[in-house]
Amino acid sequence: MGDFDDLKTAIESEFPGWQVWRSDAGRWYATRSGDLSDAQLQAGYAMTVAADDSAGLRALLREQTGEGRGDR
């Protein structure tokens, strides 16, 4: 694994409800497919997150899904 399509598929499988893409500049993004409540937004959850690489994106998605927050 290593090319973008494989990494994209793996991340989207690991984090359902997120759509992943990479900008022309090489930055990685993920956007939720559903909406957040006002309380979730106030708690720091985001509709879209960005990172320099796939590992950084995975770390951000872990936080956003509660794994990094102790919400689970």
Side-chain angles (χ1 to χ4, degrees), residues 1 4-5 12 15-16 23 29 32 37 39-43 48 53-58 61-63 71-72:
M1 193 180 290
F4 173 72
D5 290 331
E12 289 177 345
F15 299 97
S23 72
Y29 292 86
R32 291 179 192 271
S37 67
Q40 288 172 312
L41 290 169
Q42 290 175 4
T48 301
D53 55 29
S54 62
L57 187 65
R58 275 191 165 101
L61 291 173
R62 278 192 291 278
E63 290 177 15
D71 293 349
R72 281 191 163 187

Side-chain angles (χ1 to χ4, degrees), residues 19-42:
Q19 295 184 1
V20 174
W21 79 95
R22 192 170 57 189
S23 72
D24 291 341
R27 193 142 168 87
W28 287 72
Y29 292 86
T31 298
R32 291 179 192 271
S33 56
D35 293 327
L36 291 171
S37 67
D38 287 339
Q40 288 172 312
L41 290 169
Q42 290 175 4

